[in-house]
Short mmCIF file of all heavy atoms in Angstrom, two decimals:
data_model
loop_
_atom_site.label_atom_id
_atom_site.label_comp_id
_atom_site.label_asym_id
_atom_site.label_seq_id
_atom_site.Cartn_x
_atom_site.Cartn_y
_atom_site.Cartn_z
N GLU A 290 -0.50 12.29 42.66
CA GLU A 290 -0.84 10.92 43.01
C GLU A 290 0.44 10.11 43.19
O GLU A 290 1.45 10.41 42.57
CB GLU A 290 -1.68 10.25 41.92
CG GLU A 290 -3.01 10.92 41.66
CD GLU A 290 -3.79 10.21 40.56
OE1 GLU A 290 -3.32 9.14 40.09
OE2 GLU A 290 -4.85 10.71 40.16
N THR A 291 0.38 9.08 44.02
CA THR A 291 1.53 8.20 44.17
C THR A 291 1.09 6.75 44.06
O THR A 291 0.01 6.38 44.53
CB THR A 291 2.26 8.44 45.52
OG1 THR A 291 3.47 7.70 45.55
CG2 THR A 291 1.39 8.05 46.71
N HIS A 292 1.91 5.95 43.39
CA HIS A 292 1.61 4.54 43.17
C HIS A 292 2.89 3.73 43.33
O HIS A 292 3.98 4.21 42.99
CB HIS A 292 1.04 4.31 41.77
CG HIS A 292 -0.23 5.05 41.50
ND1 HIS A 292 -1.48 4.51 41.77
CD2 HIS A 292 -0.46 6.29 41.00
CE1 HIS A 292 -2.41 5.38 41.45
NE2 HIS A 292 -1.82 6.47 40.97
N THR A 293 2.75 2.50 43.82
CA THR A 293 3.91 1.64 43.98
C THR A 293 4.35 1.06 42.64
O THR A 293 3.56 1.01 41.68
CB THR A 293 3.63 0.48 44.95
OG1 THR A 293 2.60 -0.35 44.38
CG2 THR A 293 3.19 0.99 46.32
N VAL A 294 5.59 0.57 42.61
CA VAL A 294 6.06 -0.15 41.44
C VAL A 294 5.20 -1.38 41.22
O VAL A 294 4.88 -1.75 40.09
CB VAL A 294 7.55 -0.54 41.60
CG1 VAL A 294 8.01 -1.40 40.42
CG2 VAL A 294 8.42 0.70 41.75
N ARG A 295 4.76 -2.00 42.32
CA ARG A 295 3.89 -3.18 42.22
C ARG A 295 2.59 -2.84 41.48
O ARG A 295 2.12 -3.62 40.65
CB ARG A 295 3.59 -3.73 43.61
CG ARG A 295 2.67 -4.97 43.59
CD ARG A 295 2.40 -5.49 44.97
NE ARG A 295 3.55 -6.25 45.48
CZ ARG A 295 4.44 -5.79 46.36
NH1 ARG A 295 4.33 -4.54 46.82
NH2 ARG A 295 5.44 -6.53 46.78
N GLU A 296 2.02 -1.67 41.77
CA GLU A 296 0.80 -1.24 41.08
C GLU A 296 1.06 -1.05 39.58
O GLU A 296 0.21 -1.38 38.75
CB GLU A 296 0.29 0.07 41.67
CG GLU A 296 -0.34 -0.05 43.05
CD GLU A 296 -0.77 1.30 43.57
OE1 GLU A 296 -1.86 1.77 43.15
OE2 GLU A 296 -0.03 1.91 44.37
N PHE A 297 2.21 -0.51 39.25
CA PHE A 297 2.56 -0.32 37.85
C PHE A 297 2.63 -1.68 37.15
O PHE A 297 2.08 -1.87 36.06
CB PHE A 297 3.91 0.40 37.74
CG PHE A 297 4.16 1.04 36.40
CD1 PHE A 297 4.23 2.43 36.29
CD2 PHE A 297 4.33 0.28 35.26
CE1 PHE A 297 4.46 3.04 35.05
CE2 PHE A 297 4.58 0.87 34.03
CZ PHE A 297 4.64 2.24 33.91
N VAL A 298 3.30 -2.63 37.79
CA VAL A 298 3.44 -3.97 37.23
C VAL A 298 2.07 -4.62 37.05
O VAL A 298 1.76 -5.16 35.98
CB VAL A 298 4.33 -4.85 38.15
CG1 VAL A 298 4.30 -6.31 37.69
CG2 VAL A 298 5.76 -4.33 38.16
N GLN A 299 1.26 -4.59 38.10
CA GLN A 299 -0.05 -5.24 38.04
C GLN A 299 -0.94 -4.61 36.97
O GLN A 299 -1.62 -5.33 36.22
CB GLN A 299 -0.74 -5.16 39.39
CG GLN A 299 -2.08 -5.90 39.43
CD GLN A 299 -2.66 -5.99 40.83
OE1 GLN A 299 -2.04 -5.60 41.80
NE2 GLN A 299 -3.87 -6.51 40.93
N THR A 300 -0.93 -3.29 36.87
CA THR A 300 -1.75 -2.61 35.86
C THR A 300 -1.32 -3.00 34.45
O THR A 300 -2.16 -3.25 33.58
CB THR A 300 -1.64 -1.09 36.03
OG1 THR A 300 -2.07 -0.71 37.35
CG2 THR A 300 -2.51 -0.35 35.01
N ALA A 301 -0.03 -3.09 34.23
CA ALA A 301 0.49 -3.43 32.91
C ALA A 301 0.14 -4.87 32.52
O ALA A 301 -0.31 -5.14 31.40
CB ALA A 301 2.00 -3.22 32.87
N PHE A 302 0.35 -5.80 33.44
CA PHE A 302 0.06 -7.22 33.14
C PHE A 302 -1.45 -7.46 33.03
O PHE A 302 -1.91 -8.22 32.15
CB PHE A 302 0.68 -8.12 34.20
CG PHE A 302 2.12 -8.45 33.95
CD1 PHE A 302 3.13 -7.62 34.41
CD2 PHE A 302 2.48 -9.60 33.26
CE1 PHE A 302 4.47 -7.91 34.19
CE2 PHE A 302 3.81 -9.92 33.03
CZ PHE A 302 4.81 -9.07 33.49
N ASP A 303 -2.21 -6.83 33.91
CA ASP A 303 -3.68 -6.98 33.84
C ASP A 303 -4.22 -6.51 32.49
O ASP A 303 -5.18 -7.09 31.96
CB ASP A 303 -4.35 -6.19 34.97
CG ASP A 303 -4.22 -6.87 36.32
OD1 ASP A 303 -3.77 -8.04 36.36
OD2 ASP A 303 -4.57 -6.24 37.33
N TYR A 304 -3.63 -5.48 31.96
CA TYR A 304 -4.11 -4.90 30.70
C TYR A 304 -4.06 -5.90 29.54
O TYR A 304 -4.89 -5.85 28.63
CB TYR A 304 -3.27 -3.66 30.37
CG TYR A 304 -3.71 -2.93 29.13
CD1 TYR A 304 -5.05 -2.55 28.94
CD2 TYR A 304 -2.79 -2.59 28.14
CE1 TYR A 304 -5.43 -1.86 27.80
CE2 TYR A 304 -3.17 -1.91 27.00
CZ TYR A 304 -4.49 -1.55 26.83
OH TYR A 304 -4.89 -0.88 25.69
N VAL A 305 -3.10 -6.83 29.59
CA VAL A 305 -3.00 -7.84 28.51
C VAL A 305 -3.48 -9.21 28.98
O VAL A 305 -3.25 -10.22 28.31
CB VAL A 305 -1.55 -7.92 27.98
CG1 VAL A 305 -1.13 -6.60 27.37
CG2 VAL A 305 -0.58 -8.35 29.07
N GLY A 306 -4.13 -9.26 30.17
CA GLY A 306 -4.72 -10.50 30.64
C GLY A 306 -3.74 -11.51 31.19
O GLY A 306 -3.98 -12.73 31.11
N LEU A 307 -2.63 -11.04 31.76
CA LEU A 307 -1.63 -11.95 32.34
C LEU A 307 -1.52 -11.74 33.85
O LEU A 307 -1.74 -10.64 34.36
CB LEU A 307 -0.26 -11.70 31.70
CG LEU A 307 -0.12 -12.01 30.20
CD1 LEU A 307 1.27 -11.60 29.71
CD2 LEU A 307 -0.39 -13.48 29.91
N ASP A 308 -1.19 -12.83 34.55
CA ASP A 308 -0.98 -12.78 35.99
C ASP A 308 0.48 -12.43 36.25
O ASP A 308 1.38 -13.23 36.00
CB ASP A 308 -1.31 -14.14 36.60
CG ASP A 308 -1.14 -14.16 38.12
OD1 ASP A 308 -0.70 -13.13 38.69
OD2 ASP A 308 -1.41 -15.21 38.74
N TRP A 309 0.73 -11.23 36.75
CA TRP A 309 2.11 -10.75 36.88
C TRP A 309 2.95 -11.61 37.82
O TRP A 309 4.17 -11.73 37.64
CB TRP A 309 2.11 -9.30 37.37
CG TRP A 309 1.67 -9.09 38.80
CD1 TRP A 309 0.41 -8.90 39.24
CD2 TRP A 309 2.52 -9.03 39.96
NE1 TRP A 309 0.39 -8.73 40.60
CE2 TRP A 309 1.68 -8.80 41.06
CE3 TRP A 309 3.90 -9.14 40.16
CZ2 TRP A 309 2.17 -8.68 42.36
CZ3 TRP A 309 4.40 -9.03 41.45
CH2 TRP A 309 3.54 -8.81 42.54
N GLU A 310 2.32 -12.21 38.82
CA GLU A 310 3.08 -12.98 39.80
C GLU A 310 3.72 -14.23 39.21
O GLU A 310 4.64 -14.80 39.78
CB GLU A 310 2.18 -13.36 40.97
CG GLU A 310 1.75 -12.14 41.80
CD GLU A 310 0.90 -12.51 43.00
OE1 GLU A 310 -0.15 -13.14 42.81
OE2 GLU A 310 1.32 -12.17 44.13
N LYS A 311 3.25 -14.66 38.05
CA LYS A 311 3.83 -15.82 37.38
C LYS A 311 5.12 -15.47 36.63
O LYS A 311 5.88 -16.37 36.25
CB LYS A 311 2.83 -16.41 36.38
CG LYS A 311 1.58 -17.02 37.01
CD LYS A 311 0.66 -17.58 35.94
CE LYS A 311 -0.58 -18.23 36.56
NZ LYS A 311 -1.49 -18.77 35.51
N TYR A 312 5.36 -14.19 36.43
CA TYR A 312 6.48 -13.80 35.58
C TYR A 312 7.51 -12.91 36.26
O TYR A 312 8.65 -12.82 35.79
CB TYR A 312 5.94 -13.05 34.34
CG TYR A 312 4.96 -13.85 33.53
CD1 TYR A 312 3.59 -13.66 33.69
CD2 TYR A 312 5.40 -14.80 32.62
CE1 TYR A 312 2.67 -14.39 32.95
CE2 TYR A 312 4.50 -15.55 31.88
CZ TYR A 312 3.13 -15.33 32.05
OH TYR A 312 2.23 -16.08 31.31
N VAL A 313 7.14 -12.25 37.35
CA VAL A 313 8.04 -11.28 37.99
C VAL A 313 8.82 -11.92 39.13
O VAL A 313 8.25 -12.60 39.98
CB VAL A 313 7.24 -10.07 38.51
CG1 VAL A 313 8.16 -9.11 39.27
CG2 VAL A 313 6.55 -9.35 37.37
#
Side-chain angles (χ1 to χ4, degrees):
E290 299 180 5
T291 188
H292 300 271
T293 63
V294 175
R295 180 179 282 102
E296 288 178 80
F297 199 113
V298 171
Q299 183 172 355
T300 302
F302 276 88
D303 284 351
Y304 183 51
V305 298
L307 295 176
D308 181 357
W309 70 272
E310 293 182 302
K311 294 180 178 179
Y312 302 98
V313 176

